[in-house]
Amino acid sequence: MASRSSSRSRNGAIDTLDFDSHRKLPSINDDSGTSTPHGLLRDDESLLSEVVDGIIERDRRTMRRTVIKYFSFGCAIFSCLCAGSITAYSLYGHLFLSRLHYTQGQVNVVSITAELAMYLPVPLFGYLCDRYSPRPLSLLSGAFFGFGYLLAAFAYRQGPPVSRGGHGWSYGVMVLAFVGIGMGTSCMYLSAVTTCAKNFGRGKHKGLALAMPIAAFGLSGMWQSQVGSQLLYERTVDGEKGDVDVFRFFLFLGGTLVAAGLIGAVGLRIVDEEELIDEAVEELERSGLLEESAFFQRSILHQTNGYGAIDHDRRLSNEDPERLPREAAAAKAHEEEEERKKTWLLNGETRRFLADHTMWFLAGGFFLVTGPGEAFINNLGTIIGTLYPPPSSAPPSNSAATHVSIVAVTSTLARLLTGTLSDLLAPTTSPSTSDNRHYNPTTSSSSSSSSFTSHHDTTPQKRITVSRMTFLLSSTLILSLSQLLLASGLIQTHPNLFPLISALVGTGYGAVFSLTPIIISVVWGVQNFGTNWGIVAMVPAGGAAVWGAVYSAVYMWGAERSAPRGGGGGGEDDGLCYGKECYQGTFWAMAVCSWVAVGLWAWAWRGSGGWLRRGVPV
C-alpha cells in the first residue's frame, strides 16, 4: 500500500485509484492545518487492504483445514492398520486347546466373547463419537487394548487353569481379557472410520475414502500374524521354528495398540463439522420434516431476534466498555444454541434411521452374512486340522498363519476394489434427489413412483453405471460359493485347494464390510454416520455368537462320532475332530443364509418403498 501512497502527486491531484473524476473529494486537515482531499483515497486503500488480508487469511484457513483433514486421514489409516488384531485369533487359538487344555467350546467362547464385546457396544461408541468427536474414543481404545492384552499375556503364561489339571489362572480371566480386546477394537475402528466418513463423505471419492481405512483394518491381521509367526516364535527341541510365542505376541500387540490409541487421540479431527450440521438442517427443511419441530421454530426466532447483534456491536467504538462482555455473552449463547441444534439433529436422524424399514432389511442381511464369515476366520486353525488326521500334519502352505494372511490380503484388495469401483461406476447424487434420503412412510406410497420417474426423466445417465448393490449382491454370492465348496466335501479330499476357500471368503467378506457402510453414508448421509453404522455394525455380534456355537456343536458332535475309530487320532480323548462331518452341516446352513441375505438386500433396493423407487442413487 505504501507504493500506492507514494504514487500520488504532491499537489493533491486525483490519480488512477479514483474511478469517478467528477465526484467531490472530502477534505481532511493534515498536520500543518491545510485541507487535502485524500480521505476517499485512504478509505479505498483501507478497503482494498482489508480485502487482500481477508483473501490471504481465507487461503491460510483453507490450507490449514486441508492439512488437518489429510493428517487425520493418515492417522485413521494407521489406527485401522493396528486395530484388527482380533482377526489373528486363529494363529494362537489352537494353542489354547493344546497348551491351556481348554475345550473347543471354551476356545470358541473366548472368541465369541471378544466378538460380542466388539460389536454390541458399537451404537454407544458411535453415539459418543458423533457427539464428542473421535479423539476421546481413540484414547479409550488404547486403554482397553493395554488392559486386555496385558491380562491375556499373563493368564496364558500361568498355564492351564486348576479346573483343567494345572495351576494357572481361572478360565474366566482369559474371557475378561478378551472383553477388553473386543471393546478396544470397536473404539479404535469406529473412531477412524467415522473421521474419514465425515471429512470425505461429501466428496466424489467417498467410497475410496471409506474403503481405505476399512481395508487397512482387514490388513492388520495379516501383518500381525506374520510378525507373530516369523519373529515372535518358539523354538522346538531340535532348534526349528515352532508355534508363535503367545506371551511375547500379546505383549507386542498391547504396546503397539496403546501407541496407536494415543496417536489417534491427537490426530483424529473432523473438519467443518458445523457445515455438515447446517447442510443437514437445510435438507430437512427442504424435505418438509421441520414444519412441526418446536426446536426449529425456536431456533428461527433466536436467529431473528438474537445473534445478529454481534455484527452491529463490532462497529461500536473501542471506547464502549460494554462491547466485549456483550459480544462474549452473545457468542456463548450462540455456541450453546449450535450445540443444542447438533444434538437435536443427530437424535432426529437416529429416529428416522430406525423408522426406515429398509434399514432393517440391510441389517438383517448383514447379520446373515457376517456371522458365517466371522466363524470361519475364528476357526481357521481347527478347520485346517480336520483335513489332516494323524499321523499326517498340515504343510506350511496350509498353516493357520498362511490362511490368515490370504484372508487379509484378499479382503483388503476386495475392499479397495469395491470402494474405487463404486466411486467410478455408481450413480451419482444430484441435488434433486438428495432430499429423498429422509424417507417418510406416510407419504411413500404416493411419492415414491413420482420421485423415481422425476429422477430418471430429468437426469438421464450419460455414462455406464453399476449400482453399489450389484457389487454387494455379487460379493455375497462369492462368499456362498466358498461355503458350498466346503459343504460338498471337495476340500477334504483335496486339501491343497483350501487357499481357494480362504481367498473366496476374504473377497466376499471384505467387500460386504466395505460396501455396507458406504451404502449407509449414501442413503442416510454422514452427519450421524457413527451412530447409524454403529447400529448396523452391532448385528455381527449375534451372527458370530450363533455361528460360533453352531460350529462348535457340530465339531464336538463329529469328534464324538470319530472317537471309536480314532486309534489315537482324536475323539473323546483330546476333543479333536477329523473329517468332513466336523463342519459339513455348518457350511450348508451358512450357504443358505447367504442366499437369504441376497433376497433381503434385493428387496431393500428394488422392493416397495426401496431405495430405487425413492430415487436414492445407490
Side-chain angles (χ1 to χ4, degrees):
M1 295 306 167
S3 61
R4 291 192 180 95
S5 299
S6 61
S7 66
R8 303 176 189 166
S9 59
R10 295 186 178 275
N11 59 5
I14 299 175
D15 62 15
T16 55
L17 289 178
D18 282 312
F19 51 84
D20 186 357
S21 59
H22 298 289
R23 65 182 173 176
K24 183 178 180 180
L25 297 178
S27 296
I28 61 174
N29 294 326
D30 58 16
D31 295 337
S32 62
T34 59
S35 180
T36 57
H38 289 170
L40 184 58
L41 291 177
R42 291 177 181 174
D43 288 344
D44 289 345
E45 276 193 10
S46 177
L47 177 61
L48 184 58
S49 176
E50 290 178 2
V51 170
V52 172
D53 290 343
I55 293 173
I56 294 174
E57 181 62 26
R58 182 196 62 191
D59 292 343
R60 186 180 294 118
R61 286 196 303 267
T62 301
M63 177 61 70
R64 182 173 178 271
R65 287 197 299 266
T66 302
V67 170
I68 292 175
K69 180 184 293 187
Y70 283 97
F71 179 74
S72 297
F73 184 73
C75 290
I77 297 296
F78 177 73
S79 294
C80 285
L81 275 174
C82 299
S85 60
I86 191 65
T87 59
Y89 183 80
S90 56
L91 179 67
Y92 51 82
H94 64 286
L95 296 177
F96 288 175
L97 280 170
S98 58
R99 304 286 178 84
L100 301 183
H101 301 164
Y102 293 169
T103 65
Q104 178 62 46
Q106 287 178 317
V107 173
N108 273 81
V109 166
V110 172
S111 66
I112 290 170
T113 300
E115 300 282 352
L116 292 173
M118 181 168 63
Y119 289 119
L120 288 181
V122 172
L124 173 63
F125 292 151
Y127 177 90
L128 296 175
C129 194
D130 284 331
R131 271 71 177 176
Y132 302 107
S133 88
R135 297 163 72 184
L137 209 59
S138 181
L139 184 62
L140 186 62
S141 72
F144 280 135
F145 274 127
F147 165 78
Y149 275 117
L150 191 64
L151 185 61
F154 284 97
Y156 181 86
R157 194 176 196 181
Q158 297 301 312
V162 175
S163 61
R164 305 299 296 177
H167 301 86
W169 292 352
S170 168
Y171 167 72
V173 174
M174 186 66 76
V175 173
L176 177 63
F178 273 82
V179 170
I181 293 169
M183 295 179 74
T185 303
S186 176
C187 287
M188 188 170 287
Y189 168 80
L190 194 60
S191 63
V193 173
T194 301
T195 300
C196 295
K198 293 196 174 187
N199 281 342
F200 297 93
R202 293 176 294 171
K204 62 180 180 179
H205 299 302
K206 56 186 168 187
L208 183 61
L210 272 176
M212 289 184 68
I214 295 172
F217 181 82
L219 199 62
S220 59
M222 183 200 74
W223 75 263
Q224 288 165 350
S225 64
Q226 290 301 315
V227 168
S229 61
Q230 302 299 325
L231 299 178
L232 304 174
Y233 55 84
E234 300 173 333
R235 292 286 184 179
T236 61
V237 291
D238 56 358
E240 297 295 326
K241 183 189 299 184
D243 287 313
V244 60
D245 187 330
V246 178
F247 176 72
R248 289 197 297 153
F249 186 54
F250 282 170
L251 291 182
F252 162 76
L253 291 177
T256 301
L257 289 160
V258 167
L262 293 175
I263 291 173
V266 174
L268 295 178
R269 300 180 62 182
I270 297 174
V271 179
D272 295 334
E273 187 176 17
E274 296 81 4
E275 293 184 8
L276 280 175
I277 300 300
D278 291 339
E279 288 178 4
V281 171
E282 291 175 4
E283 187 175 311
L284 286 170
E285 185 177 4
R286 290 195 302 269
S287 67
L289 295 177
L290 296 184
E291 294 178 356
E292 299 179 359
S293 170
F295 176 88
F296 182 67
Q297 299 299 332
R298 186 171 65 252
S299 177
I300 293 177
L301 181 63
H302 284 184
Q303 291 175 6
T304 304
N305 298 331
Y307 307 128
I310 296 177
D311 295 332
H312 296 293
D313 289 344
R314 287 175 179 168
R315 299 175 186 174
L316 297 177
S317 167
N318 292 333
E319 298 177 356
D320 183 359
E322 299 180 359
R323 181 174 65 88
L324 292 179
R326 188 161 53 248
E327 283 189 359
K332 181 179 180 181
H334 178 69
E335 182 179 349
E336 292 174 352
E337 185 70 12
E338 289 297 311
E339 188 63 30
R340 285 194 295 269
K341 180 172 71 173
K342 175 182 176 180
T343 302
W344 166 81
L345 172 72
L346 296 181
N347 290 341
E349 290 287 342
T350 302
R351 287 192 296 270
R352 278 183 287 275
F353 181 72
L354 293 173
D356 192 337
H357 70 284
T358 60
M359 183 280 291
W360 296 102
F361 288 121
L362 179 67
F366 199 58
F367 169 85
L368 294 172
V369 170
T370 55
E374 296 279 356
F376 176 87
I377 293 171
N378 290 337
N379 294 284
L380 259 175
T382 55
I383 295 172
I384 293 171
T386 64
L387 306 179
Y388 298 95
S392 62
S393 60
S397 60
N398 255 3
S399 67
T402 299
H403 286 282
V404 168
S405 299
I406 292 173
V407 171
V409 169
T410 53
S411 175
T412 299
L413 293 176
R415 296 175 197 213
L416 291 175
L417 187 62
T418 53
T420 303
L421 290 178
S422 68
D423 282 339
L424 295 176
L425 300 177
T428 56
T429 304
S430 63
S432 63
T433 60
S434 62
D435 297 341
N436 294 327
R437 283 203 303 260
H438 298 96
Y439 176 61
N440 189 343
T442 61
T443 60
S444 61
S445 59
S446 60
S447 63
S448 60
S449 59
S450 62
S451 65
F452 173 79
T453 305
S454 172
H455 171 62
H456 288 273
D457 290 346
T458 60
T459 58
Q461 297 290 343
K462 296 182 180 179
R463 61 185 178 91
I464 297 175
T465 60
V466 179
S467 172
R468 294 179 180 88
M469 293 301 297
T470 301
F471 291 117
L472 183 64
L473 300 182
S474 301
S475 302
T476 306
L477 293 176
I478 290 173
L479 181 63
S480 72
L481 177 60
S482 69
Q483 296 157 350
L484 284 176
L485 290 175
L486 277 171
S488 67
L490 175 67
I491 305 302
Q492 191 67 43
T493 55
H494 299 85
N496 58 310
L497 294 179
F498 199 79
L500 173 63
I501 300 298
S502 296
L504 290 174
V505 170
T507 300
Y509 181 80
V512 168
F513 247 100
S514 175
L515 288 165
T516 303
I518 294 173
I519 290 170
I520 288 174
S521 71
V522 171
V523 177
W524 292 282
V526 299
Q527 60 275 358
N528 201 41
F529 175 83
T531 304
N532 293 347
W533 170 227
I535 292 171
V536 176
M538 178 177 64
V539 301
V546 169
W547 288 107
V550 169
Y551 175 82
S552 295
V554 174
Y555 184 95
M556 289 187 289
W557 172 80
E560 292 174 358
R561 289 193 60 190
S562 64
R565 49 190 171 88
E572 291 178 345
D573 293 333
D574 54 15
L576 300 179
C577 180
Y578 305 98
K580 64 182 181 181
E581 61 268 14
C582 304
Y583 56 81
Q584 189 174 41
T586 301
F587 285 99
W588 275 120
M590 288 179 176
V592 172
C593 283
S594 296
W595 299 335
V596 173
V598 168
L600 291 176
W601 286 337
W603 184 259
W605 177 27
R606 307 182 74 93
S608 176
W611 303 321
L612 184 65
R613 294 187 176 275
R614 297 187 211 171
V616 179
V618 184

